[in-house]
Amino acid sequence: MHRSPLPRPRAGSPLAPAVGAPLALACWALAGLLVGACTPSLPGPGRAPAVSPRPGTPWTPPPPSPPAAERPGQPGAPPGAELPADLAQRLRQLTIGDVVDLALRNNPATREAWANARAASAAYGVERGAYYPQLDAEMTVNRVKTAPTGGRVAVQQTVYGPAATLTWLLFDLGGRGGAVEAARQALLAADWTHNATISDVVLGAQVAFYNYLATQALVAAQRATIQDAEANLAAAQARREVGVATIADVLQAQTALSQARLAFETTEGQRQTARGALAVALGLPANVPYDIDSLSTPEPIGVVSDSVEAIIGRAVAGRPDLIAARASAAEAAARVRQARGARLPSLAVTGTGGFTYLAGRSGGGSNYNVGVGLQLPLFNGFAREFQQRQAEELADAAAARARSLEQQVTYQVFTAYYALQTANRRVRSAADLMASAQQSLEVASARYKAGVGTVLDLLAAQSALADARAQQVQARLAWQTSLAQLAHDAGALDERGGTSLRLTTDSLAPTPPR
C-alpha cells in the first residue's frame, strides 16, 4: 500500500511558525544547558562570581557603581538629595509650616504607608471582581502523530482553533461577601494607618523644631550670662585697683567667667546636634545649610479650654490609629463570615465554546457546553471547620487589641493633658523666678560696686540668674512639646502642624524675647 507523505507547511503559511517554533525553542534550550554546564562558577552580582572559587580564597565583591547621590534627579537617588524648588529659596528662614511640609515630603514612613494603602485599594478591587463573570480566551495548536497499529497507518495532523471559557458564581451564602467586606475593612485600616503615620511624622518634626529653638534660646541665655560675668569681673578688677578688694575676688570672678564660657561652648555643641536632628527629621542631610526664621513670633502660652473628659472622648472617637485597629477587627470578623460561607452551598454557571480546525482540510467545527452546578461541601478532613474556628479566634484577638489600644489612648491623653497643665504652671513659675533673679543680680551688683556686698553674693546672684534663664527656656520647651503631644494623642494634629484644641492665652506667662 502506497502512503503519500503529508504536505509540509510552506514558509509563508500561518502553520509554519506553529510547527517550527517548538523545534527552535528546544534547540535554544539545549544550547543554554550546554553553555550553563561549561560555566566555571555561578553568576553573581555585577561581574564577580556568586561564591569564592576555592575554600581558602575570600570572595571578591563586584566594583561599586557610582553613588546615587552623584546622579541627582535620576531613579535611585536617595530621597532628600535635592531640595524642593519652592523651599530652596527659604532655607534661611524656615517656619514651623515649612518644617512640617518638608518632613511630610521626604519622610519614607509616609510613602510606605501611602503605598500600603494603594495596595489595599487594589486588593479590594481584586475581591470585588468575584461578583462579575470570569471570561478567558485561548488559542491552541496541537500536532498529533498516531502509531501504526492493527493494520492502520500512522497519521500526522495539526489541530488548532480558538476557545472561550465563562465562569460565573451566581449565588453563595456569605463566602464571597465576607471576602469583599474583609478587603474593604483592610483598605479602611490602611487609610487610617496612613493618617496616623502622617500625624506621627508631624509630631516628630515639631519636637525636633522646638528642641532646636530651645537650644538656640539656651545659647542666647549663656551669652547673656557671659556678659554678666564679664561685667562682674570688671567690677572686681576696678575695686582691686582702688584697694577695696583682694586678688581673691578677681580670681573668683574670673572662674565664674570661665565656667560661663564653658557652659556656652557645651550649649553651642548641643545646638549643632539639635540642628542635625531637625535636618534628619526633615529627610535632609544633617549638614544641609538651613536655619529657622528668627523673626517669627513665638507661639503664645495658653491653657486648654476643653476638659480632659472631652478630649478623651474626641480621641476615642477620631484618633486614626484607633480607628485603624477597629477596622482591622472588623476585617477579622468578615473573615469569619468568609470561612463560614466556604462550608455552605454555592451555585455557579460555567460554559465553554470554541471552533476547531484541521490542517489540510477546509472548514471546521464548533463546539460548546453550558452547565449550572450546585456545589455542596461535604467533607475535607474537617479543614473548613478548623478554618472557621481559626477565623473566630483571630477575630476575638483583633477585637481585644482594639479595646487595649482604646485604653492606651485614654491613658495617653490623660497623661498628656496633665503634662501640659504642669508645663503651663512651670512657665509661670519660671517667669517669676526670672524676674526675681534679675532683680537679685542688679541689687547684688550695686551693693558690690558700693563696697557693702561681697563677691560671693554677686557670684551667687549671677549663678541664680543663669539657672533662671535655663529654667525659663526649658519650661517653654516643655509646654510646646506637651501641647504637640496632646494634640497628637487627641487626634487633633493636622498635616500643617496646627491643632484644633481650644487655647486661652495665659497673660501671667509672658513670652520671652527671641
Side-chain angles (χ1 to χ4, degrees):
M1 181 177 179
H2 176 71
R3 293 182 297 173
S4 59
L6 294 176
R8 300 182 63 184
R10 298 187 301 273
S13 172
L15 294 179
V19 175
L23 180 60
L25 291 175
C27 294
W28 280 109
L30 180 60
L33 291 175
L34 293 176
V35 172
C38 298
T39 303
S41 61
L42 295 175
R47 298 181 178 179
V51 294
S52 171
R54 288 177 296 275
T57 303
W59 175 71
T60 303
S65 58
E70 297 180 4
R71 306 186 301 272
Q74 296 184 3
E82 291 186 4
L83 298 176
D86 57 336
L87 291 177
Q89 304 299 326
R90 293 186 286 162
L91 284 179
R92 293 296 180 182
Q93 50 180 4
L94 290 177
T95 63
I96 182 62
D98 297 331
V99 166
V100 172
D101 187 17
L102 273 172
L104 291 178
R105 292 189 193 189
N106 297 334
N107 197 297
T110 57
R111 181 167 296 275
E112 177 186 358
W114 181 64
N116 289 335
R118 290 170 62 87
S121 177
Y124 179 46
V126 171
E127 296 297 340
R128 283 176 56 88
Y131 283 106
Y132 300 95
Q134 298 181 15
L135 182 62
D136 299 316
E138 63 179 3
M139 176 68 183
T140 59
V141 177
N142 296 322
R143 181 67 174 172
V144 180
K145 178 182 179 181
T146 62
T149 59
R152 297 181 180 180
V153 299
V155 177
Q156 297 184 19
Q157 60 182 3
T158 302
V159 180
Y160 61 95
T165 302
L166 173 68
T167 304
W168 193 359
L169 178 62
L170 298 179
F171 177 77
D172 69 348
L173 295 176
R176 177 174 52 182
V180 173
E181 179 63 18
R184 190 180 77 89
Q185 294 295 337
L187 172 58
L188 293 176
D191 286 334
W192 284 111
T193 300
H194 180 213
N195 292 356
T197 302
I198 290 177
S199 181
D200 293 342
V201 171
V202 171
L203 176 62
Q206 284 186 321
V207 171
F209 178 79
Y210 292 140
N211 279 329
Y212 185 40
L213 277 180
T215 54
Q216 281 192 324
L218 284 175
V219 168
Q222 294 291 347
R223 189 176 290 113
T225 301
I226 291 177
Q227 294 175 356
D228 293 338
E230 290 175 345
N232 295 337
L233 176 60
Q237 291 174 342
R239 291 194 61 189
R240 182 174 181 272
E241 290 176 357
V242 298
V244 294
T246 63
I247 188 62
D249 290 0
V250 176
L251 293 177
Q252 289 178 343
Q254 181 65 50
T255 301
L257 176 59
S258 299
Q259 291 175 343
R261 288 173 176 170
L262 179 61
F264 173 81
E265 296 298 334
T266 302
T267 306
E268 177 63 25
Q270 295 173 353
R271 186 183 74 87
Q272 294 297 333
T273 302
R275 182 182 178 280
L278 177 57
V280 172
L282 300 181
L284 301 176
N287 61 341
V288 66
Y290 81 95
D291 210 337
I292 60 176
D293 186 7
S294 59
L295 300 179
S296 60
T297 304
E299 186 177 3
I301 301 297
V303 294
V304 179
S305 302
D306 297 327
S307 65
V308 63
E309 289 79 11
I311 299 178
I312 289 176
R314 177 176 181 175
V316 170
R319 185 159 142 173
D321 55 344
L322 181 55
I323 300 179
R326 290 169 178 165
S328 297
E331 175 192 358
R335 296 296 180 189
V336 176
R337 177 183 171 189
Q338 179 184 6
R340 186 183 299 112
R343 302 176 56 189
L344 301 176
S346 61
L347 184 66
V349 59
T350 59
T352 303
F355 210 89
T356 304
Y357 296 93
L358 186 63
R361 298 182 183 180
S362 61
S366 62
N367 58 83
Y368 69 90
N369 68 78
V370 178
V372 177
L374 177 65
Q375 182 181 4
L376 300 173
L378 296 179
F379 181 74
N380 66 338
F382 302 104
R384 298 186 185 93
E385 288 78 2
F386 283 111
Q387 288 174 353
Q388 179 180 343
R389 183 178 302 178
Q390 178 189 22
E392 291 172 349
E393 298 301 333
L394 291 177
D396 291 342
R401 284 194 298 270
R403 290 192 297 269
S404 176
L405 182 57
E406 181 176 340
Q407 293 178 350
Q408 294 178 15
V409 167
T410 302
Y411 174 73
Q412 290 171 358
V413 173
F414 184 85
T415 303
Y417 180 85
Y418 285 104
L420 181 61
Q421 301 296 325
T422 302
N424 185 72
R425 291 191 293 268
R426 284 187 59 190
V427 170
R428 298 167 62 178
S429 299
D432 296 338
L433 177 63
M434 180 68 182
S436 61
Q438 184 69 45
Q439 295 177 359
S440 177
L441 179 61
E442 293 174 358
V443 171
S445 178
R447 285 173 54 84
Y448 183 73
K449 292 178 180 178
V452 294
T454 65
V455 70
L456 295 179
D457 296 335
L458 179 62
L459 297 181
Q462 172 189 322
S463 177
L465 179 58
D467 182 69
R469 287 169 177 155
Q471 290 289 341
Q472 190 176 38
V473 171
Q474 293 172 359
R476 181 172 180 82
L477 170 64
W479 185 86
Q480 290 171 326
T481 55
S482 297
L483 176 61
Q485 187 68 53
L486 177 60
H488 170 272
D489 294 344
L493 191 62
D494 59 33
E495 68 277 7
R496 295 178 301 274
T499 175
S500 55
L501 294 176
R502 296 182 299 175
L503 297 177
T504 302
T505 303
D506 188 359
S507 59
L508 298 179
T511 300
R514 293 281 296 279

